[in-house]
C-alpha cells in the first residue's frame, strides 16, 4: 500500500492485470508527484510498458486503483479522454510525418488539440509561433526547422516526437525507451532534454540504459514480475541485492 495524497499527480495502488493467466502486473503501487521526473528500470517482461498501457487506458486493470490529479479515476475513462486530461505518451518507435518539415510536424501537433471547427478556420497565431519556437529550442531542432522529418537521424526523430507531444501541453509525459538506438551523444543530450522538460511537467521514463538513468539523477523505480522491487536513488537501487539478482546481475 502507498499513501494517497491529494497532491499526487498520478496514483496507482494494488494494480493487477493478467494475460492468459500470466500476471503482467501484480499489485503494483506507484506514485508520481507534480513536476517529478521518474525513471523506471527492470528486466524484460517486468511490466513497464504494461504499466503505461494501464495509465493511458489502453489496458484495463483486473483490480486496483489508478487516479490522476487526486480524484480522477483513470480506469473509468477511454484512451482519448485520458489524453485529453493531459497524459501524453511516447512509444518506442518514432511516429513523425516523414514527408513534412519539422516545423509542420509541430504545427500539426499543435492543431491536434483543437476542435475540427477550430482547425478549419485556423490561422497560426503569434502565440502559436512562439510556442513552436520554444519547442524547437527544447528538442534541439531549431536549425532543422525547414528540413523534412525524413532527413533527421533516429535520435532527432525521437526528439521531434517528444516536441510534438509537448505541443499538446501534457501534465504527465510517459516515455518508453527513448534512447534505444541513439548515439552516445544523443543519449546524453536526451537526459538533459528530459530534465528541462520536467521543469514544467511530470515525466516518467522507462529505460534499460543505466548510464542514461544515472545521468537523469532522479528517483528510480525498479519493477520485476509486475511489482516494485526497489525504489530510491540510483545508488540505493543498484546496490539492492534483489535488483542485482533480478536485473543488473543478469
Ligand atoms: N496485450 C498483451 N497481451 C498479452 N500479453 C501481454 C500484453 N501486454 C503485455 N503482455 C505480457 O506482459 C508481460 C509484461 O510485458 P511488458 O511489455 O509490460 O514488459 P516490459 O517491462 O515493458 O519489458 P521490456 O523491457 O522488454 O519492454 C510480458 O510477458 C508480455 O508478454
Ligand atoms: Mg517495454
Amino acid at each position: 500500500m502507498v499513501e494517497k495524497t491529494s497532491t499526487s499527480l498520478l496514483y496507482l495502488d494494488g494494480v493487477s492485470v493478467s494475460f492468459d493467466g500470466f500476471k503482467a502486473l501484480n499489485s503494483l503501487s506507484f506514485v508520481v508527484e507534480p513536476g517529478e521526473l521518474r525513471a523506471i528500470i527492470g528486466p524484460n517482461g517486468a511490466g513497464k510498458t504494461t504499466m503505461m498501457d494501464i495509465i493511458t487506458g489502453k489496458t484495463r486493470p483486473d483490480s486496483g486503483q489508478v487516479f490522476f490529479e487526486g480524484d480522477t479515476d483513470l480506469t473509468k475513462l477511454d484512451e482519448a479522454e485520458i489524453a485529453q486530461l493531459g497524459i501524453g505518451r511516447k512509444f518506442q518507435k518514432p511516429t513523425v510525418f516523414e514527408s513534412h518539415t519539422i516545423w509542420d510536424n509541430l504545427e500539426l501537433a499543435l492543431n491536434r488539440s483543437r476542435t475540427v471547427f477550430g482547425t478549419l478556420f485556423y490561422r497560426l497565431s503569434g502565440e502559436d509561433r512562439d510556442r513552436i519556437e520554444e519547442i524547437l529550442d527544447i528538442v534541439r531542432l531549431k536549425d532543422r526547422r525547414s528540413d523534412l522529418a525524413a532527413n533527421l537521424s533516429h535520435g532527432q526523430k525521437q526528439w521531434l516526437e517528444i516536441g510534438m507531444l509537448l505541443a499538446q501541453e501534457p501534465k504527465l509525459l510517459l516515455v518508453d525507451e527513448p534512447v534505444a538506438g541513439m548515439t552516445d551523444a544523443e543519449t546524453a543530450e536526451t537526459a538533459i532534454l528530459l530534465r528541462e522538460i520536467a521543469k514544467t511537467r511530470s515525466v516518467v521514463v522507462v529505460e534499460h540504459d543505466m548510464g542514461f538513468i544515472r545521468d537523469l539523477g532522479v528517483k528510480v523505480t525498479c519493477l520485476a514480475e509486475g511489482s516494485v522491487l526497489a525504489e530510491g536513488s540510483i545508488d540505493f537501487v543498484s546496490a539492492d541485492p534483489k535488483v542485482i539478482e533480478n536485473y543488473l546481475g543478469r
Side-chain angles (χ1 to χ4, degrees):
M1 283 289 275
V2 286
E3 194 182 321
K4 182 176 176 187
T5 61
S6 57
T7 58
S8 299
L9 183 69
L10 178 71
Y11 171 90
L12 275 71
D13 191 32
V15 173
S16 297
V17 64
S18 297
F19 300 110
D20 307 318
F22 174 80
K23 270 208 156 172
L25 294 182
N26 187 5
S27 195
L28 175 69
S29 300
F30 178 75
V31 174
V32 178
E33 301 302 334
E36 183 178 4
L37 170 57
R38 177 73 63 88
I40 313 277
I41 60 172
N44 298 119
K48 304 181 297 298
T49 299
T50 305
M51 181 181 81
M52 290 191 171
D53 291 343
I54 295 279
I55 297 166
T56 55
K58 191 174 173 221
T59 299
R60 295 272 171 224
D62 298 332
S63 57
Q65 298 185 314
V66 187
F67 282 95
F68 187 61
E69 294 190 300
D71 55 2
T72 305
D73 184 351
L74 296 184
T75 66
K76 301 271 189 296
L77 304 176
D78 66 30
E79 282 186 85
E81 289 167 327
I82 291 172
Q84 206 61 41
L85 278 179
I87 299 182
R89 178 182 195 176
K90 158 103 194 62
F91 287 92
Q92 235 163 297
K93 226 174 137 279
T95 49
V96 300
F97 300 105
E98 301 255 340
S99 58
H100 286 69
T101 64
I102 281 91
W103 180 280
D104 286 348
N105 267 277
L106 291 173
E107 198 178 316
L108 285 163
L110 208 67
N111 267 334
R112 229 184 263 159
S113 45
R114 297 173 209 273
T115 62
V116 174
F117 185 83
T119 307
L120 220 52
F121 297 93
Y122 165 75
R123 295 270 179 288
L124 200 62
S125 70
E127 205 177 303
D128 291 337
R129 286 181 183 284
D130 290 350
R131 182 60 186 147
I132 294 176
E133 291 287 348
E134 214 171 73
I135 294 171
L136 281 170
D137 211 23
I138 296 169
V139 298
R140 279 64 171 161
L141 293 171
K142 247 192 156 70
D143 301 337
R144 304 296 302 271
R145 67 182 66 202
S146 308
D147 292 348
L148 293 182
N151 296 332
L152 294 176
S153 72
H154 168 75
Q156 289 169 324
K157 282 181 193 168
Q158 299 283 35
W159 294 346
L160 175 56
E161 199 185 357
I162 289 171
M164 291 166 74
L165 288 165
L166 288 178
Q168 295 171 69
E169 302 293 351
K171 293 171 187 159
L172 173 64
L173 187 60
L174 307 172
V175 195
D176 204 351
E177 300 195 31
V179 307
M182 280 191 185
T183 64
D184 289 351
E186 285 172 341
T187 299
E189 197 62 33
T190 302
I192 302 169
L193 187 153
L194 288 178
R195 287 170 53 148
E196 280 175 23
I197 290 171
K199 285 180 186 162
T200 52
R201 66 207 71 235
S202 297
V203 180
V204 174
V205 56
V206 168
E207 250 309 330
H208 287 289
D209 184 322
M210 291 305 283
F212 168 81
I213 297 285
R214 195 165 277 283
D215 280 354
L216 286 177
V218 296
K219 190 175 186 180
V220 177
T221 301
C222 180
L223 299 190
E225 295 174 4
S227 46
V228 175
L229 198 60
E231 200 166 75
S233 71
I234 181 68
D235 289 329
F236 177 81
V237 169
S238 53
D240 188 311
K242 297 191 299 296
V243 175
I244 294 168
E245 187 193 329
N246 283 279
Y247 184 46
L248 298 176
R250 282 189 175 185

